Amino acid sequence: MVAAWKRVKANRGSAGVDGRTIAETAADLKTHWPRIREELLNGRYRPAPVRRVQIPKPDGGVRELGIPTVTDRLIQQALLQVLQRRIDPSFSEHSYGFRPGRRAHDAVLQAQRHVQDGHRVVVDVDLEKFFDRVNHDILMERLSRRIADKAVLRLIRRYLEAGLMDGGVVIERYEGTPQGGPLSPLLANVLLDEVDRELERRGHCFVRYADDCNVYVRSLKAGERVLNGLRRLYGRLHLKVNEVKTAVALATGRKFLGYELWRGPNDRIKCAVAGKAMATFKQRIRELTRRSCGRSLPEIVERLRAYMPGWKAYFRLAQTPRVFRELDEWLRHRLRAVQLKHWRRGRTMYRELLALGASETTALRIAQNSRRWWRNSRFALNRGMPVAYFDRLGVPRLS
């Protein structure tokens, strides 16, 4: 429980339906933990409903999360720490999502190897609202094959059936496992491992990360046969394939975990940032470097330093140095435009440009057109504010 509390505290997260933060829950548990512990041991504990939260998706839809109370996150985390050690070793080696010692990068590299080995067609399967459609009876039956302790099974079932609170009203749940609880990813892997095993039995090359499954084959005809088989497998689990997003297509150019594969020189398969992920990155950079935000250049740089290193670390597998160099140049262009607007007045701009080393003619020409921030940021500031200038400010580089 101590280890579980440390993890919950490190993960932070918002309050559940009881409105208690992590700090408030810590104070409350000092008094009430003996009672909660007793209820857990004698089977009388009842989880609180989860708080419904809807997160907008980039494509216009919403992702529905269920946020348990901090106390319930603590209990779920403790369950996860015990169950994962017992159950995880039995999962397929082709499953990468939410497993100790496995990452999204491992899944992307394995997909790259499959395509390099000649499996150039992918069966890209998307499940429709997977976490909202998990059948409780089927999941508990699959879980009971791995867990003999009926008290633990009963507690997990209560977490599955805990209501969903929206606008002060509790909605009963008859299917689904809410995203937001520590146990949900493990339960998802328990359910989908059945599909993994069947794909293994048939000798397919595939990669699964949570509910994203890509099967790699050598022809479109073989891909259609595999897709029909997957529809039947998922149908047995009462899961529905999203026909709009599911496709049998060439593996190069298809998005997987934010990456896409492309064919380089000598027919080598390489990784790149997917177009959608790139567009999201650029939009976020535009928001952070708006010329109307009223922040100084150092303040903007601090925000970039909070965002860019994490993005760069995730997409470090991308084998596109030229693209990253162009992004760096585009970012510095935006920052130069921000600096020009901060100077605003022609006289101030003239003085500052001279201080940066611009000629009198160049400084005067820019100052006389002082409101053309974007165009002028290309004109002379490349010399006055070179790459080294931004390095000294601490602007992160992608390349």
Side-chain angles (χ1 to χ4, degrees):
M1 296 305 298
V2 171
W5 176 255
K6 288 179 180 178
R7 176 58 64 88
V8 169
K9 190 175 178 181
N11 288 343
R12 301 179 183 177
S14 57
V17 296
D18 60 358
R20 292 194 184 100
T21 63
I22 291 176
E24 291 168 340
T25 302
D28 185 70
L29 288 175
K30 290 178 181 177
T31 304
H32 294 103
W33 177 249
R35 173 184 57 78
I36 296 171
R37 181 180 183 277
E38 183 63 27
E39 289 178 354
L40 285 166
L41 290 173
N42 61 30
R44 289 189 291 108
Y45 181 79
R46 292 292 187 276
V50 297
R51 180 169 64 89
R52 185 184 212 170
V53 178
Q54 291 185 327
I55 308 295
K57 290 183 178 180
D59 59 6
V62 293
R63 175 175 287 106
E64 190 171 289
L65 301 182
I67 309 299
T69 65
V70 178
T71 299
D72 281 325
R73 294 209 295 273
L74 169 65
I75 296 168
Q76 285 194 39
Q77 180 63 37
L79 276 170
L80 176 67
Q81 289 170 180
V82 174
L83 296 179
Q84 194 158 48
R85 288 197 301 268
R86 295 167 177 260
I87 296 176
D88 188 83
S90 68
F91 289 151
S92 166
E93 64 177 14
H94 301 277
S95 167
Y96 292 88
F98 310 109
R99 297 184 60 190
R102 288 171 170 250
R103 304 166 300 165
H105 286 168
D106 300 323
V108 172
L109 290 172
Q110 185 59 60
Q112 183 182 15
R113 283 191 287 270
H114 287 323
V115 179
Q116 187 63 62
D117 289 343
H119 300 86
R120 299 297 172 94
V121 173
V122 62
V123 184
D124 185 353
V125 181
D126 184 86
L127 295 178
E128 192 172 289
K129 296 183 177 179
F130 167 70
F131 284 94
D132 297 332
R133 294 180 182 270
V134 170
N135 183 283
H136 292 172
D137 292 332
I138 293 175
L139 173 58
M140 292 308 301
E141 194 278 329
R142 300 310 190 266
L143 202 57
S144 67
R145 298 177 187 177
R146 303 167 185 265
I147 302 172
D149 192 321
K150 295 191 184 308
V152 170
L153 291 170
R154 186 164 54 246
L155 180 59
I156 293 173
R157 179 115 200 184
R158 285 175 182 166
Y159 273 115
L160 290 173
E161 295 175 348
L164 188 70
M165 183 173 283
D166 187 15
V169 178
V170 177
I171 305 167
E172 292 186 8
R173 292 182 66 93
Y174 300 101
E175 63 178 3
T177 172
Q179 288 180 269
L183 264 181
S184 293
L186 177 67
L187 299 180
N189 279 332
V190 168
L191 187 64
L192 294 175
D193 188 63
E194 183 171 318
V195 178
D196 296 343
R197 294 305 181 185
E198 184 60 26
L199 288 173
E200 284 180 353
R201 191 185 68 79
R202 298 179 185 182
H204 290 303
C205 297
F206 70 98
V207 177
R208 181 175 66 80
Y209 192 95
D211 58 325
D212 289 334
C213 184
N214 280 8
V215 185
Y216 296 91
V217 295
R218 295 184 183 274
S219 70
L220 293 172
K221 189 173 182 180
E224 292 293 345
R225 285 198 304 270
V226 170
L227 180 56
N228 288 331
L230 283 171
R231 288 192 183 102
R232 290 191 294 271
L233 286 172
Y234 287 125
R236 286 204 310 239
L237 300 175
H238 292 200
L239 298 172
K240 187 176 180 182
V241 172
N242 186 334
E243 299 294 347
V244 175
K245 295 183 178 180
T246 295
V248 177
L250 290 177
T252 49
R254 293 293 299 182
K255 180 173 72 72
F256 181 54
L257 299 178
Y259 284 90
E260 62 183 37
L261 302 177
W262 60 286
R263 188 173 300 182
N266 301 321
D267 206 32
R268 300 298 299 174
I269 301 299
K270 298 190 174 185
C271 292
V273 182
K276 189 174 179 180
M278 187 69 76
T280 301
F281 171 77
K282 295 188 77 171
Q283 181 57 35
R284 181 60 179 150
I285 294 298
R286 289 188 186 98
E287 293 169 2
L288 293 173
T289 58
R290 285 201 309 268
R291 294 190 288 280
S292 59
C293 66
R295 299 187 188 94
S296 68
L297 203 58
E299 288 174 329
I300 291 173
V301 170
E302 280 303 309
R303 289 174 173 255
L304 291 172
R305 290 175 66 181
Y307 172 67
M308 289 179 60
W311 190 90
K312 178 182 178 180
Y314 182 77
F315 287 107
R316 69 176 184 269
L317 298 182
Q319 297 163 291
T320 52
R322 181 180 60 82
V323 172
F324 283 172
R325 282 196 301 271
E326 290 172 355
L327 283 174
D328 282 337
E329 292 169 5
W330 173 75
L331 171 60
R332 290 191 291 268
H333 186 183
R334 291 191 63 85
L335 292 176
R336 292 184 186 107
V338 169
Q339 184 62 81
L340 278 176
K341 186 171 184 182
H342 285 174
W343 290 333
R344 283 183 179 275
R345 295 166 61 88
R347 188 173 299 173
T348 303
M349 192 177 293
Y350 177 75
R351 186 175 63 249
E352 295 290 347
L353 287 168
L354 287 178
L356 286 174
S359 67
E360 290 188 16
T361 304
T362 299
L364 183 62
R365 185 162 30 168
I366 293 177
Q368 287 174 341
N369 295 279
S370 58
R371 291 190 175 274
R372 303 181 71 176
W373 326 114
W374 184 252
R375 181 178 181 277
N376 284 337
S377 66
R378 284 181 180 272
F379 192 48
L381 289 194
N382 283 6
R383 291 188 296 275
M385 299 173 71
V387 176
Y389 175 86
F390 292 104
D391 287 344
R392 287 193 297 272
L393 275 178
V395 177
R397 285 203 209 182
L398 296 176
S399 60

